[in-house]
Amino acid sequence: MSKIKPAKGSPYARILGVGGYRPTRVVPNEVILETIDSSDEWIRSRSGIATRHWASPEETVAAMSVEASGKALADAGVSAEQIGAVIVSTVSHFKQTPAVATEIAHRIGAGKPAAFDISAGCAGFGYGLTLAKGMVVEGSAQYVLVIGVERLSDLTDLEDRATAFLFGDGAGAVVVGPSEEPAIGPTVWGSEGDKSETIKQTVPWDEFRSKDSTERFPAITQEGQAVFRWAVFEMAKVAQQALDAAGITADDLDVFIPHQANMRIIDSMVKTLKLPEHVTVARDVETTGNTSAASIPLAMERLLATGAAKSGDTALVIGFGAGLVYAATVVTLP
């Protein structure tokens, strides 16, 4: 017989507040066209992107996260001292150690919470949300701060015609806490490692270090058509599985917040899922670009701030990207 006492957590967990930060510099397609042979029309038709935000030297991964976190805490009505864990999803924090989560926790005045980084690419927010839900229900933390943050401008090859226009910078954060009713559904997540070469860093850090200093800095590259087909056909199936796991249908949805990778992918998923016209669809990619782990909370924050979505709405969120990895769940909006 085990002598371990049962955990004293909450029966359920929910998102209590959301905050976002977009760098002050707005970069239109015309700037991208200075280094690639393309056109504004081509970029818009292929991706739906018109502008993106690029961070200044002062707008570091930590600095953007602190700003987004402050807004999320205020929106949730939770103090930094109440945060029991900080989870940061990012692929663009260049220090291998320590985790940037520890710096963020200190800068927001969170005391001594658990703090760690995860690397799950564009599915990172979903991974972090799932971990946070488990912590709240298990009782290891009453409130958890989940941050998705990227400075992908640091990892963009501006001469790569296939990717130069895709990426942007920013941070999104949510506070997850206790709930008396289900407000974060079961997560459908996984990976397909046999496709890991379709989105990757061009050169590993150790190879870059060992080569001549004139070697091109590592950047993100992808096989666009392969990623598009996978996202449209396979991720629509995962999204449907998340609806099924939550016990609802597309008709029950109010909002759809997919990873903001590409407008054509978003529109194709809407069609494949046969979402009703009343469902609000996040299309933040047009003015924010692909911000990887930050894209879902940034899009969520904008929908709520503009009134396109409202507190209590039922939303399907799904992230997918490098790995290839994915995570989808149904949530009640804060």
Side-chain angles (χ1 to χ4, degrees):
M1 177 69 70
S2 174
K3 296 180 180 179
I4 300 174
K5 294 180 180 180
K8 295 181 180 180
S10 170
Y12 305 106
R14 68 183 303 120
I15 299 174
L16 299 173
V18 60
Y21 180 82
R22 293 172 171 82
T24 55
R25 182 188 177 193
V26 177
V27 179
N29 288 337
E30 285 73 19
V31 172
I32 306 298
L33 296 175
E34 294 174 2
T35 51
I36 61 171
D37 180 16
S38 187
S39 68
D40 178 66
E41 180 183 5
W42 187 90
I43 293 174
R44 289 174 185 258
S45 66
R46 292 302 180 98
S47 68
I49 299 172
T51 61
R52 73 285 293 147
H53 295 255
W54 283 356
S56 67
E58 294 76 25
E59 291 169 315
T60 63
V61 165
M64 292 191 293
S65 297
V66 168
E67 292 293 328
S69 298
K71 294 176 183 178
L73 288 166
D75 190 45
V78 173
S79 69
E81 292 84 357
Q82 292 175 282
I83 295 297
V86 177
I87 303 172
V88 178
S89 178
T90 184
V91 299
S92 48
H93 174 58
F94 288 167
K95 283 186 179 180
Q96 192 71 37
T97 191
V100 72
T102 59
E103 177 185 349
I104 295 165
H106 172 69
R107 290 177 62 173
I108 65 173
K112 298 180 180 180
F116 58 95
D117 300 350
I118 60 174
S119 176
C122 304
F125 176 74
Y127 276 49
L129 185 64
T130 303
L131 293 173
K133 172 188 173 183
M135 290 177 180
V136 172
V137 172
E138 187 269 340
S140 60
Q142 185 177 16
Y143 298 101
V144 181
L145 181 63
V146 180
I147 303 165
V149 57
E150 302 291 4
R151 272 183 55 119
L152 294 181
S153 57
D154 292 334
L155 290 169
T156 299
D157 181 351
L158 295 178
E159 296 180 5
D160 180 2
R161 189 173 184 271
T163 62
F165 57 89
L166 287 176
F167 302 119
D169 303 336
V174 298
V175 176
V176 177
S179 174
E180 293 300 317
E181 60 182 11
I184 301 175
T187 299
V188 178
W189 57 352
S191 65
E192 297 184 30
D194 60 311
K195 301 178 180 66
S196 62
E197 292 295 302
T198 56
I199 306 175
K200 64 180 182 179
Q201 183 173 308
T202 51
V203 182
W205 294 116
D206 58 342
E207 288 188 19
F208 177 74
R209 182 178 63 178
S210 66
K211 293 183 178 180
D212 189 275
S213 60
T214 59
E215 180 75 16
R216 292 178 69 85
F217 192 77
I220 296 174
T221 185
Q222 68 176 28
E223 298 174 15
Q225 287 301 315
V227 172
F228 180 87
R229 289 192 298 270
W230 176 77
V232 169
F233 297 108
E234 297 304 319
M235 291 304 97
K237 297 176 186 176
V238 171
Q240 183 60 55
Q241 291 170 16
L243 291 175
D244 296 341
I248 67 172
T249 69
D251 290 333
D252 299 313
L253 280 180
D254 300 304
V255 184
F256 178 44
I257 311 177
H259 165 48
Q260 302 294 293
N262 180 303
M263 194 76 78
R264 292 170 62 206
I265 291 175
I266 294 170
D267 291 340
S268 296
M269 290 183 71
V270 169
K271 183 177 180 180
T272 302
L273 287 166
K274 299 179 181 179
L275 295 185
E277 289 188 6
H278 75 262
V279 176
T280 298
V281 180
R283 293 188 170 87
D284 194 44
V285 66
E286 180 180 3
T287 56
T288 307
N290 180 342
T291 56
S292 188
S295 77
I296 290 176
L298 278 174
M300 182 184 296
E301 186 256 359
R302 175 162 281 174
L303 288 175
L304 290 166
T306 60
K310 63 183 185 299
S311 174
D313 279 353
T314 300
L316 169 63
V317 299
I318 179 169
F320 45 85
L324 294 170
V325 295
Y326 54 87
T329 188
V330 175
V331 304
T332 301
L333 293 183

